[in-house]
């Protein structure tokens, strides 16, 4: 075995927090062998030489002979992931002056303060002439610059005293996408599969020849809008240096006979001539729907589908042209397109969970001047159902709220903008919380309801029910391995049963708020339709959304109206089909993973018994009238903001309201407050508003009269 060269390393992705900092990371053991310390400047030799500051890798990345570099450094060194680069320590000088040229039009004229802002971002960056550098402006807008000249020449480090000068716009000669793997958050598993399917055929086609197999020809990406399908395709094209052809489905269609097929052939021919290349067809369902569902008048669509099938089968250089299709509705595609040999693998891009949302947020706030009170962890917990595009919109709205504070009337001129000290602009937590009210989650928009501001402290009594519900939701999320070690499976469904007014819906609201996972609420009667098949389709769609948004709580209110006793409505086949569909969704072949089904009903006796057997609804929680202690707790909750007189005894009131439900106790407090307010208004404001004992006496009589 040959001797390992101590200065040669394998290029790997950088950590998200290192992107744009101009640093590389290697193993501390290798740093010691090379004689470099933290913060030293090293030269990285790929096809081109560039420089960066060096830092140690984190413990989980050690012992792998890798050097972690972000996309900008890889581009400067003209290398790519998994390639070898040579690393040596070099001397450097502090830069007195650097001249940079924007690679595209800058939206606003850059004044002295803007140059100072750029300089503050670039401070500490090691550069040489010919390097690309990227500046992240507020709102996650990137601007690329080329280092045209440095004084002194050679490797330099930008300091606070370095003069930054702007040159004229320089068009970038390398027409590569700016998207890198570091710009994609929360999709590490999907990216690994994509790279296996696409990078290997493009970079190492000889491996497939040696194994005697054809490389994959196509990948179909499907998932909700905004989850990152197009972003993945652009990142792969950028990282592999492949020619990228982006086609949207509708632009292929033409009005003349044969025009649509000719356009499609043209795109494939362009990809073939520029191989290795990636042909990305967005919204592919628009040009390749199911042929058996087309009417006789849709001959054009039939021919386009046939042409697409022929082109995907007829690719001569199979390893040099990869076709990526993207769609939100994969089941609408023609089945002939989804067989191996055309689209060899189908990859679902799922809705991000809490950890993924935190990663996505970290990417989008990379260039933002964040205030110290910004808590990204908290934001990632409350953004239920948000996909990547929603997270980007959230950050943009937060930045826009800063601009509204700085420019409140939107009528300022360019000269007035130049007077604004942009270095003092900061995005605060309140800006993000305000943006949350403006941005709706795309993933579960059709069935999403705003999670109410109700906590367990707002629910009086029901201690045992609260405990069981907390365990049912929290244990699988926090202690999943512990449950598996004792063979315990989390409950699939929980039925809340009891008379009206006992707190069933209130408990669900509190749990939805406290659990911090996706929450979908459906009223049973909403799914019923007079058209054949629509009711069952509604049930399927609700469960499909819940699976996409997992971990998720799926709540059915008024459950008895959706799944009543079969044959209780005479010869109604609609109810029977809905119940059958519900049963198949609950424990059919497709596993209901990380989805907890909650249902509430006042009439458990009207629900079909097949629905609420163990294995479907594992827990049935019966709500009873509150006891004395519970009534005191409920009264305290509803009267905590009321100006009570000293003679009012909540304990005495609880003894007089033995058969009152929680809703009736709330009504009692509201009625007492209304009587006190009526007296205050009758006295023309001469007395203070005080709720007396006699107000509660009258309120108790009023509620009891209503109960009769």
């Amino acid at each position: 075995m040959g001797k390992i060269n101590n200065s040669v390393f394998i290029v790997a992705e950088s950590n998200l927090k290192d992107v744009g900092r101009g640093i590389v990371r290697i193993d501390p053991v290798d740093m010691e062998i090379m004689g470099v310390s933290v913060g030293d400047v090293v030269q990285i030799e790929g096809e081109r030489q560039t420089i960066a500051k060096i830092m140690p890798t984190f413990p989980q990345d050690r012992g792998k002979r890798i050097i972690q570099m972000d996309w900008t450094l890889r581009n400067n060194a003209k290398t790519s992931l998994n390639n070898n680069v040579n690393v040596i320590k070099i001397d450097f000088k502090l830069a007195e002056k650097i001249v940079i040229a924007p690679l595209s039009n800058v939206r606003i004229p850059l004044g002295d303060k803007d140059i100072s802002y750029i300089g503050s971002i670039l401070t500490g960056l090691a550069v040489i002439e010919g390097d690309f550098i990227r500046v992240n402006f507020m709102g996650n807008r990137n601007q690329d610059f080329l280092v045209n000249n440095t004084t002194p020449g050679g490797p330099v480090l930008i300091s606070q005293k370095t003069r930054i000068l702007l040159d004229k716009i320089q068009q970038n000669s390398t027409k590569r996408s700016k998207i890198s793997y570091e710009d994609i958050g929360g999709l590490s598993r999907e990216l690994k599969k994509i790279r296996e399917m696409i990078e290997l055929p493009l970079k190492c086609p000889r491996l497939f020849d040696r194994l005697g197999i054809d490389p994959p020809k196509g990948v179909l990406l499907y998932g909700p809008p905004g989850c990152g399908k197009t972003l993945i395709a652009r990142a792969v094209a950028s990282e592999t240096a492949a020619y990228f052809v982006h086609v949207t489905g509708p632009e292929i269609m033409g009005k003349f006979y044969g025009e649509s097929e000719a356009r499609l052939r043209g795109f494939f021919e362009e990809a073939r001539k520029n191989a290795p290349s990636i042909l990305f067809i967005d919204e592919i369902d628009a040009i390749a729907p199911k042929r058996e569902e087309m009417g006789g008048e849709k001959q054009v669509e039939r021919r386009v589908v046939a042409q697409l099938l022929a082109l995907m089968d007829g690719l001569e250089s199979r390893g040099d042209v990869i076709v990526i299709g993207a769609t939100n509705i994969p089941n609408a595609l023609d089945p002939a397109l989804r067989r191996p040999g055309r689209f060899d693998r189908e990859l679902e891009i799922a809705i991000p969970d809490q950890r993924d949302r935190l990663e996505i947020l970290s990417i989008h706030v990379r260039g933002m001047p964040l205030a110290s009170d910004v808590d990204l962890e908290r934001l990632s917990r409350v953004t239920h159902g948000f996909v990547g595009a929603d997270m980007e919109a959230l950050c943009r709205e937060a930045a826009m709220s800063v601009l509204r504070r700085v420019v409140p009337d939107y009528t300022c001129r360019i000269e007035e903008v130049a007077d604004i000290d942009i270095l003092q602009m900061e995005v605060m937590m309140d800006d993000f919380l305000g943006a949350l009210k403006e941005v709706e989650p795309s993933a579960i928009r059709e069935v999403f309801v705003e999670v109410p501001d109700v906590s367990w402290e707002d629910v009086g009594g029901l201690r045992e029910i609260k405990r069981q519900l907390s365990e049912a939701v929290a244990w699988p999320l926090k202690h999943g391995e512990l449950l598996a070690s004792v063979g315990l499976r989390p409950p699939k469904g929980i039925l809340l049963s009891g008379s009206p007014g006992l707190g069933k819906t209130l408990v669900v609201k509190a749990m939805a708020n406290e659990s911090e996972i996706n929450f979908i609420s459906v009223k049973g009667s909403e799914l019923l339709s007079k058209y054949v098949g629509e009711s069952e389709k509604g049930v399927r769609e609700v469960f499909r959304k819940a699976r996409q948004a997992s971990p998720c709580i799926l709540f059915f209110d008024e459950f008895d109206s959706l799944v009543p006793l079969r044959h209780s409505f005479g010869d109604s086949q609609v109810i029977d089909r809905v119940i059958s569909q519900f049963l198949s969704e609950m424990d059919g072949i497709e596993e209901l993973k990380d989805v907890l089904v909650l249902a509430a009903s006042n009439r458990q006796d009207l629900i079909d018994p097949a629905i609420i057997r163990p294995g479907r609804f594992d827990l049935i929680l019966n709500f009873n009238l509150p006891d004395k202690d519970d009534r005191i707790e409920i009264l305290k909750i509803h009267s905590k903001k009321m100006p009570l007189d000293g003679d009012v005894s909540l304990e005495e009131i609880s003894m007089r309201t033995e058969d009152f439900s929680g809703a009736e106790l709330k009504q009692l407090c509201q009625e007492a407050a209304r009587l006190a307010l009526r007296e205050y208004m009758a006295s023309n404001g001469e007395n203070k508003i005080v709720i007396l004992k006699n107000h509660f006496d009258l309120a108790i009589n009023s509620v009891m009269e209503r109960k009769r």
Side-chain angles (χ1 to χ4, degrees):
M1 186 174 178
K3 184 178 178 181
I4 296 176
N5 189 336
N6 290 325
S7 64
V8 176
F9 296 89
I10 302 171
V11 178
E13 295 175 56
S14 71
N15 295 298
L16 290 179
K17 293 182 180 179
D18 294 338
V19 174
R21 295 174 58 192
I23 65 173
V24 294
R25 292 184 184 269
I26 66 173
D27 195 313
V29 175
D30 296 320
M31 290 177 62
E32 187 176 348
I33 294 172
M34 294 174 60
V36 295
S37 304
V38 173
D40 284 349
V41 174
V42 294
Q43 179 174 282
I44 304 152
E45 298 177 354
E47 294 182 20
R48 178 184 177 274
Q49 294 179 355
T50 188
I51 63 173
K53 290 194 292 186
I54 196 161
M55 299 286 284
T57 54
F58 294 107
Q60 65 269 20
D61 297 319
R62 293 174 185 172
K64 301 178 181 178
R65 294 291 301 174
I66 62 172
I67 178 170
Q68 294 178 315
M69 307 166 55
D70 67 12
W71 183 86
T72 304
L73 290 174
R74 297 198 298 270
N75 193 40
N76 285 334
K78 294 196 180 302
T79 187
S80 57
L81 296 174
N82 301 319
N83 285 357
N84 291 336
V85 292
N86 196 47
V87 181
I88 57 174
K89 181 181 177 181
I90 59 169
D91 295 325
F92 66 93
K93 298 177 181 179
L94 292 178
E96 299 173 9
K97 178 182 72 175
I98 68 167
V99 181
I100 58 175
L103 297 179
S104 59
N105 289 318
V106 184
R107 293 183 185 178
I108 59 173
L110 293 174
D112 293 339
K113 290 187 177 180
D114 302 291
I115 302 298
S116 299
Y117 176 66
I118 294 175
S120 68
I121 294 176
L122 299 182
T123 297
L125 202 66
V127 296
I128 58 174
E129 186 177 321
D131 275 355
F132 292 97
I133 54 178
R134 175 169 290 182
V135 177
N136 292 307
F137 290 99
M138 182 176 291
N140 202 40
R141 182 170 62 86
N142 298 324
Q143 180 70 47
D144 287 342
F145 296 88
L146 177 66
V147 179
N148 276 349
N149 186 267
T150 65
T151 304
V156 295
L157 189 71
I158 300 174
S159 68
Q160 292 180 344
K161 296 182 180 179
T162 303
R163 291 175 57 207
I164 309 292
L165 300 179
L166 277 183
D167 207 346
K168 62 181 180 180
I169 293 176
Q170 175 144 358
Q171 298 299 328
N172 187 3
S173 58
T174 58
K175 190 181 177 182
R176 291 180 63 179
S177 171
K178 297 179 182 179
I179 303 297
S180 67
Y181 291 145
E182 288 95 353
D183 296 321
I184 302 176
L187 294 173
S188 56
R189 296 181 299 275
E190 290 82 356
L191 274 176
K192 184 177 179 181
K193 294 179 181 178
I194 283 284
R195 291 178 62 183
E196 172 190 300
M197 291 285 293
I198 295 177
E199 282 194 21
L200 277 177
L202 292 177
K203 289 185 175 181
C204 311
R206 292 179 61 190
L207 295 178
F208 293 88
D209 295 337
R210 179 69 183 88
L211 293 172
I213 60 172
D214 290 324
K217 184 186 293 185
V219 181
L220 179 65
L221 306 178
Y222 65 93
C227 61
K229 300 184 292 296
T230 306
L231 195 66
I232 286 177
R234 290 193 176 278
V236 171
S238 173
E239 294 285 1
T240 57
Y243 188 83
F244 189 71
V245 182
H246 184 188
V247 185
T248 56
E251 72 179 275
I252 291 175
M253 308 306 292
K255 64 179 180 179
F256 298 110
Y257 189 85
E259 183 180 3
S260 303
E261 300 93 301
R263 287 181 183 176
L264 192 57
R265 288 195 299 271
F267 287 123
F268 273 83
E269 186 61 30
E270 179 186 355
R272 189 179 291 110
K273 286 181 179 178
N274 294 279
S277 61
I278 292 175
L279 175 60
F280 177 61
I281 307 177
D282 208 356
E283 307 298 341
I284 193 171
D285 53 276
I287 62 168
K290 292 180 178 178
R291 285 172 290 181
E292 65 268 19
E293 295 181 2
M294 296 181 191
E297 71 281 358
K298 294 189 177 181
Q299 294 299 324
V300 176
E301 286 84 348
R302 289 176 183 273
R303 293 198 305 270
V304 170
V305 175
Q307 180 68 79
L308 181 59
L309 296 176
L311 287 169
M312 290 198 69
D313 275 340
L315 292 180
E316 296 173 3
S317 303
R318 295 166 66 98
D320 294 335
V321 178
I322 302 291
V323 180
I324 303 179
T327 179
N328 307 325
I329 41 178
N331 293 330
L333 289 180
D334 192 273
L337 197 64
R338 300 176 67 180
R339 70 157 174 84
R342 286 167 182 155
F343 283 117
D344 298 278
R345 180 171 294 182
E346 297 183 4
L347 193 60
E348 180 181 8
I349 311 299
I351 297 171
D353 57 19
Q354 187 267 329
R355 185 175 57 184
D356 294 338
R357 292 196 296 268
L358 178 59
E359 198 172 302
I360 296 168
L361 268 176
S362 302
I363 291 171
H364 289 301
V365 301
R366 194 182 283 158
M368 280 189 174
L370 298 181
S372 57
D373 66 336
V374 174
D375 187 353
L376 296 182
E377 184 83 26
R378 179 187 170 195
L379 287 171
S380 68
R381 288 197 303 266
V382 299
T383 46
H384 307 287
F386 277 55
V387 294
D390 298 325
M391 305 303 281
E392 182 182 10
L394 177 70
C395 295
R396 188 187 304 115
E397 282 297 323
M400 287 299 297
S401 67
V402 178
L403 297 179
R404 293 186 195 105
R405 284 202 305 271
V406 176
V407 192
D409 56 358
Y410 307 101
T411 59
C412 65
R413 299 184 298 276
I414 293 295
E415 298 79 11
E416 294 174 346
V417 173
D419 294 333
I420 298 172
D421 188 357
I422 61 175
L423 294 178
Q424 301 301 317
M425 296 170 65
E426 281 188 331
V427 185
M428 299 185 292
M429 188 65 178
D430 287 342
D431 298 320
F432 281 100
L433 296 178
L436 276 173
K437 300 176 183 177
E438 303 294 330
V439 182
E440 292 186 3
S442 299
I444 50 178
R445 179 170 290 159
E446 294 92 341
V447 290
F448 182 81
V449 293
E450 183 178 357
V451 177
D453 187 17
V454 178
S455 65
W456 286 127
E457 286 75 20
D458 299 319
V459 181
L462 303 174
R463 288 177 290 276
E464 182 62 22
I465 286 176
K466 288 192 285 188
R467 181 187 65 79
Q468 293 191 53
L469 284 175
S470 297
E471 290 175 357
V473 175
W475 281 10
L477 293 176
K478 298 179 180 179
H479 312 290
E481 294 181 0
L482 195 61
L483 266 66
S485 67
V486 296
L488 179 61
R489 289 191 174 186
K492 189 181 294 184
I494 301 175
L495 177 65
L496 311 181
S497 177
S499 303
L502 294 180
K504 299 185 296 298
T505 306
L506 185 68
V507 163
V508 172
K509 289 180 179 180
M511 190 174 66
N513 189 19
E514 295 283 346
S515 64
E516 296 180 340
I517 63 176
N518 293 332
F519 178 72
I520 296 175
S521 176
V522 184
K523 290 183 175 62
S525 54
E526 289 178 349
L527 298 177
L528 298 178
S529 171
K530 65 180 180 179
Y531 298 105
V532 175
E534 286 298 314
S535 302
E536 304 92 290
K537 182 181 177 181
V539 174
R540 282 197 307 274
E541 284 299 307
V542 166
F543 275 91
R544 186 181 66 83
K545 285 285 182 183
R547 288 188 182 94
Q548 279 189 339
S550 63
C552 173
I553 295 173
L554 179 56
F555 174 57
F556 291 92
D557 207 358
E558 306 298 337
F559 194 49
D560 51 278
S561 66
L562 179 67
V563 287
L565 287 166
R566 277 178 273 200
H567 310 302
S568 58
F569 288 88
D571 227 3
S572 177
Q573 296 182 359
V574 175
I575 295 297
D576 293 352
R577 290 198 302 268
V578 167
I579 292 174
S580 299
Q581 183 68 50
F582 198 93
L583 293 175
S584 64
E585 294 290 345
M586 283 291 288
D587 59 356
I589 295 175
E590 188 175 0
E591 186 181 0
L592 197 63
K593 187 178 180 182
D594 292 333
V595 176
L596 175 64
V597 180
L598 275 181
S601 174
N602 304 327
R603 295 292 304 274
Q604 180 184 337
D605 56 309
L606 295 182
I607 299 174
D608 194 272
I611 294 285
I612 55 176
R613 70 156 174 82
R616 288 168 182 153
F617 280 89
D618 302 283
L619 284 177
I620 298 179
L621 303 180
N622 292 303
F623 285 63
N624 300 312
L625 287 172
D627 57 22
K628 179 185 173 183
D629 293 337
D630 291 345
R631 290 196 297 273
I632 293 176
E633 194 175 333
I634 295 169
L635 287 168
K636 285 180 180 178
I637 290 172
H638 293 303
S639 63
K640 61 184 176 183
K641 295 183 179 180
M642 293 182 176
L644 300 181
D645 185 66
D647 292 339
V648 175
S649 170
L650 297 182
E651 184 172 357
E652 179 188 345
I653 295 172
S654 70
M655 294 175 64
R656 297 174 58 189
T657 54
E658 187 172 350
D659 58 345
F660 278 40
S661 66
E664 289 165 342
L665 291 171
K666 179 182 178 181
Q667 178 65 26
L668 168 66
C669 295
Q670 294 291 310
E671 184 64 26
R674 189 178 295 108
L675 291 170
L677 186 60
R678 188 182 300 162
E679 286 188 5
Y680 170 78
M681 297 179 70
S683 66
N684 295 322
E686 295 179 2
N687 303 320
K688 292 183 178 180
I689 302 179
V690 180
I691 303 176
L692 305 172
K693 181 177 179 297
N694 71 300
H695 293 145
F696 276 98
D697 293 338
L698 293 171
I700 289 173
N701 293 333
S702 175
V703 175
M704 292 184 71
E705 183 67 29
R706 183 176 176 179
K707 283 171 65 71
R708 295 193 188 98

